[in-house]
Amino acid sequence: MKILHVEEHGVSLEEVHEVTRFHAKILHPKFSLISVILRLLSLNVDVHCDVVLYMAVKRSTVISRLYLLLRNSSQKEAVQEREKGQLSQGYSEFLLSSPNGSLKLNNWFALKNPLSTSINPEKIQLLPADTTPSCCKMIMGNTGVDIEMELIGDDKRTVWRDMLRTDEYITETHSTSAVLGAGGPAESSLTGSAEQQLHSVRTEFVKRVSRPVLNELLDGLLQHTVINQEEMESVKVIAERAEKARDIIDMVLRKGNESCSRMINLLGELDPCLCSLLQINSVGVPT
């Protein structure tokens, strides 16, 4: 009888010195030399990888997590499962550009962002395919700016650099406060009926409202009987964010001033920063 070791890069056999009913005893354990050599060589394997960012804007703060994932592996699915709960809380997934060329497996890379207030941990390791990938959490205290990022190896060489522009992430994240710079309220507000206010900000609403807010807005409009189930379902199937926003605001505008007031009230609860930016105030019907 022999003990078979099945490892990532091969197999090895161990001699058994004593066998009982429930145990096999090995007096002088040893490992396959080939297996050891292969394991050592794996430290220098060149691999290709992808960079994935999960990010949300919370008032005047940008919170993000950056992952370095082996291409064509199950790591991406593992990360998506880990982040599934965060996506429902306003986080969005961004597949960034890939590093130029291959990287060394198991090497460490430092994440740099000149505008970040915190990066923890400061370095990320490119881990094997059968390992759950690690991430760097990055926080920016100022928003409404392009996000520049780079990964630097231990040899001080930049292996990856990318920029996420404001107009790319502001419409996908839960809060639109980033467009306000410091996140302060607008100095003045629109006057007139709710219908007049909503009509005057239609273009900016379509441009700036985020996808998560639209989904919650639909649920609120249904709950307050501004729209019916059939109308909600017809909008939910629309994949493109701007088209969905356009359909929602046009549908409410056709229903008159009371419905417009309810929509403004709901929007004020879901994204007060957007309401401040659009300078709209609810009038009339409370939610």
Side-chain angles (χ1 to χ4, degrees):
M1 178 182 291
K2 292 185 178 182
I3 301 296
L4 176 69
H5 290 282
V6 180
E7 301 176 327
E8 182 180 356
H9 301 293
V11 298
S12 61
L13 296 173
E14 291 280 1
E15 294 288 344
V16 176
H17 294 271
E18 182 181 342
V19 178
T20 68
R21 185 177 178 184
F22 300 104
H23 301 89
K25 183 182 294 186
I26 303 174
L27 295 180
H28 305 289
K30 61 183 180 179
F31 296 93
S32 167
L33 181 61
I34 294 177
S35 178
V36 173
I37 293 174
L38 288 172
R39 185 174 295 277
L40 290 174
L41 288 176
S42 71
L43 297 175
N44 294 313
V45 171
D46 290 324
V47 295
H48 292 275
C49 57
D50 295 318
V51 182
V52 178
L53 187 74
Y54 286 84
M55 188 178 71
V57 179
K58 304 292 186 179
R59 297 189 181 277
S60 60
T61 303
V62 175
I63 305 172
S64 58
R65 287 180 296 279
L66 184 137
Y67 291 89
L68 197 55
L69 309 176
L70 286 184
R71 190 172 299 169
N72 300 322
S73 74
S74 60
Q75 288 184 334
K76 185 174 183 180
E77 287 74 16
V79 169
Q80 287 176 334
E81 181 65 25
R82 177 193 293 183
E83 294 285 345
K84 185 167 57 177
Q86 298 295 329
L87 292 175
S88 64
Q89 298 180 28
Y91 281 81
S92 295
E93 177 186 356
F94 298 88
L95 179 61
L96 304 178
S97 64
S98 299
N100 294 324
S102 59
L103 301 180
K104 296 290 186 183
L105 190 64
N106 292 312
N107 277 14
W108 290 85
F109 303 94
L111 175 61
K112 300 294 183 181
N113 175 354
L115 298 179
S116 66
T117 58
S118 172
I119 296 179
N120 185 36
E122 296 180 353
K123 291 186 176 183
I124 188 171
Q125 187 179 21
L126 181 54
L127 296 170
D130 59 349
T131 307
T132 303
S134 58
C135 69
C136 286
K137 182 178 180 180
M138 179 174 62
I139 297 177
M140 290 174 51
N142 54 339
T143 56
V145 294
D146 298 336
I147 302 175
E148 300 178 37
M149 297 161 286
E150 63 179 340
L151 290 172
I152 301 175
D154 288 336
D155 58 358
K156 308 302 180 184
R157 183 175 61 93
T158 298
V159 299
W160 172 81
R161 181 184 287 114
D162 200 0
M163 175 187 291
L164 189 62
R165 299 190 178 278
T166 307
D167 56 359
E168 292 181 88
Y169 71 81
I170 196 59
T171 56
E172 292 297 328
T173 51
H174 182 68
S175 172
T176 55
S177 59
V179 297
L180 295 174
E187 295 181 357
S188 59
S189 299
L190 295 176
T191 58
S193 67
E195 185 176 358
Q196 290 170 333
Q197 291 184 52
L198 208 56
H199 188 273
S200 66
V201 301
R202 178 182 180 276
T203 300
E204 287 299 308
F205 171 82
V206 171
K207 179 181 177 181
R208 301 186 184 281
V209 68
S210 68
R211 193 187 306 274
V213 168
L214 285 175
N215 292 333
E216 292 183 54
L217 187 59
L218 271 176
D219 292 335
L221 291 173
L222 178 65
Q223 180 182 348
H224 292 283
T225 65
V226 176
I227 61 175
N228 57 42
Q229 185 70 35
E230 184 179 351
E231 290 172 322
M232 185 185 74
E233 294 298 335
S234 68
V235 177
K236 270 196 168 182
V237 297
I238 300 174
E240 207 274 316
R241 184 203 58 82
E243 184 182 351
K244 179 178 290 188
R246 195 176 294 112
D247 270 30
I248 290 175
I249 194 170
D250 288 345
M251 184 185 299
V252 174
L253 282 169
R254 289 194 296 267
K255 295 177 180 289
N257 191 67
E258 181 178 330
S259 296
C260 292
S261 182
R262 290 191 181 277
M263 175 171 167
I264 293 174
N265 283 341
L266 286 167
L267 192 59
E269 295 175 4
L270 297 172
D271 197 340
C273 293
L274 178 58
C275 281
S276 179
L277 176 68
L278 298 177
Q279 302 177 23
I280 53 178
N281 285 317
S282 60
V283 290
V285 182
T287 57

